[in-house]
Amino acid sequence: MHAVRGLDLAVAEGTVCGVLGPNGAGKTTAVRLLTTLLRPDAGSARIAGHDLVREPAAVRRRIGVTGQYASVDGDLTGRENLQLFARLHRVRAPGQRADELLERFGLAEAAGRAASTYSGGMRRRLDLAASLIRRPEVLFLDEPTTGLDPASRNLIWTAVRELTSDGTTVLLTTQYLEEADQLADDIALVDRGRVAHTGSPAQFKGLIGAYVEVVVADADVLVKAAGVLDQLTGAEPSFDRERNAVGAVTRDRTLTLPRLVRELDTAGVPLLDAALRPPTLDEAFLRLTENNTEDDKEHAA
């Protein structure tokens, strides 16, 4: 069984590539391979111009990595953690570099406290700061904001934007579709160890068309409304019974809101609201991964 197979990926310098996929798709394995933590059985890759297999030491000198779990030492203070990483990387003036990063990530006031006393968001920011000690050309972020509150997440998002504006290339794996939508210049959807789709967030949304939703006045006509959407979109509607709403994705670019309202009125469906809008990245992701699951079932049959 192959965790990663046929993973073809190119990331432009100074951009963020968001790697998305369901659990078990191979995202973390790919990061471990590309950061020299695992040795590939076959294939090739170049990181910052260096061959991954033949020049692993050169690759390691040019990358930074922040994994899913903080790697800092809880017994050391924030400053001591960064100074330790700076010395390991033979950075000149390790104390100065540590103070620069503590200030940049809003940790200066807590610099003298043990990292074990930091909140989860503070520890993640300290972890990211540690990965930037050497000013890497390529930064790998493996689900860097998992479990963080919105304020901490926004601080990390701001840091990533600043890094790319300075020319750093970022490969980001995330379970937060909003995060990919906010940060990624391009997205790679990974499924079963291979890249299934690539494109910008806007292109991903365009793959599945528009999203139609109607809210009806009476729950008794919800099924009838779903039948109208089924005929108009050719897609299976989804229900939100708490709101008396039903929605579906359509690739019919000729479908308009007035036509939708007319068809529902003709069918005798009293409306409270109707909307026709671009899909969110969450909806695109769910639709595309649903299609891949259906393909698996067909092949198995």
Side-chain angles (χ1 to χ4, degrees):
M1 185 175 181
H2 296 86
V4 174
R5 186 174 187 176
L7 185 71
D8 297 320
L9 188 63
V11 182
E13 184 178 349
T15 66
V16 178
C17 177
V19 180
L20 308 180
N23 290 332
K27 304 185 298 298
T28 296
T29 300
V31 170
R32 290 177 65 82
L33 286 166
L34 294 172
T35 55
T36 75
L37 295 175
L38 292 176
R39 184 178 178 85
D41 299 315
S44 62
R46 297 188 71 82
I47 310 294
H50 293 274
D51 187 274
L52 181 68
V53 175
R54 294 198 299 268
E55 305 172 275
V59 170
R60 286 192 286 271
R61 285 194 295 270
R62 287 161 176 81
I63 66 173
V65 185
T66 297
Q68 295 182 21
Y69 305 100
S71 60
V72 297
D73 189 328
D75 293 331
L76 300 179
T77 67
R79 180 178 288 110
E80 288 169 342
N81 267 287
L82 295 188
Q83 288 177 330
L84 174 61
F85 278 98
R87 291 191 184 100
L88 289 172
H89 291 302
R90 300 179 182 177
V91 172
R92 294 180 181 177
Q96 179 181 339
R97 182 58 177 156
D99 288 340
E100 289 174 359
L101 289 167
L102 289 164
E103 184 69 35
R104 181 174 189 174
F105 286 93
L107 296 170
E109 292 185 4
R113 285 168 40 197
S116 60
T117 68
Y118 285 14
S119 67
M122 293 170 69
R123 286 174 68 91
R124 294 302 284 160
R125 279 183 276 151
L126 183 61
D127 202 39
L128 181 56
S131 70
L132 300 178
I133 284 288
R134 283 186 307 178
R135 298 180 175 86
E137 295 176 44
V138 181
L139 178 62
F140 292 87
L141 301 177
D142 190 13
E143 301 189 19
T145 62
T146 297
L148 298 190
D149 61 83
S152 296
R153 192 175 300 153
N154 284 333
L155 284 171
I156 290 182
W157 289 0
T158 299
V160 172
R161 293 188 184 104
E162 290 174 353
L163 288 168
T164 53
S165 68
D166 290 340
T168 300
T169 304
V170 177
L171 191 142
L172 165 74
T173 76
T174 180
Q175 294 285 357
Y176 297 115
L177 281 299
E178 181 191 4
E179 184 162 87
D181 209 0
Q182 287 282 335
L183 295 178
D185 299 285
D186 291 290
I187 290 173
L189 176 60
V190 177
D191 187 43
R192 294 161 293 175
R194 63 180 179 83
V195 175
H197 299 279
T198 58
S200 68
Q203 288 171 329
F204 261 74
K205 296 170 190 176
L207 287 173
I208 68 167
Y211 188 77
V212 183
E213 184 182 68
V214 298
V215 182
V216 300
D218 189 342
D220 292 340
V221 298
L222 201 56
V223 173
K224 186 184 289 186
V228 174
L229 292 192
D230 188 9
Q231 291 178 354
L232 289 174
T233 66
E236 183 178 352
S238 59
F239 292 89
D240 182 346
R241 296 187 184 278
E242 289 186 4
R243 296 171 51 235
N244 281 351
V246 60
V249 173
T250 178
R251 289 181 179 170
D252 182 358
R253 300 186 184 278
T254 67
L255 180 62
T256 62
L257 194 57
R259 179 187 167 198
L260 171 66
V261 173
R262 284 197 305 270
E263 293 289 342
L264 289 162
D265 184 58
T266 300
V269 177
L271 288 176
L272 290 181
D273 193 17
L276 181 65
R277 59 168 175 76
T280 64
L281 192 58
D282 296 66
E283 289 160 351
F285 173 81
L286 289 172
R287 185 62 182 268
L288 290 169
T289 51
E290 279 175 7
N291 289 343
N292 290 337
T293 300
E294 289 168 5
D295 290 342
D296 284 344
K297 290 178 180 178
E298 290 177 5
H299 289 309

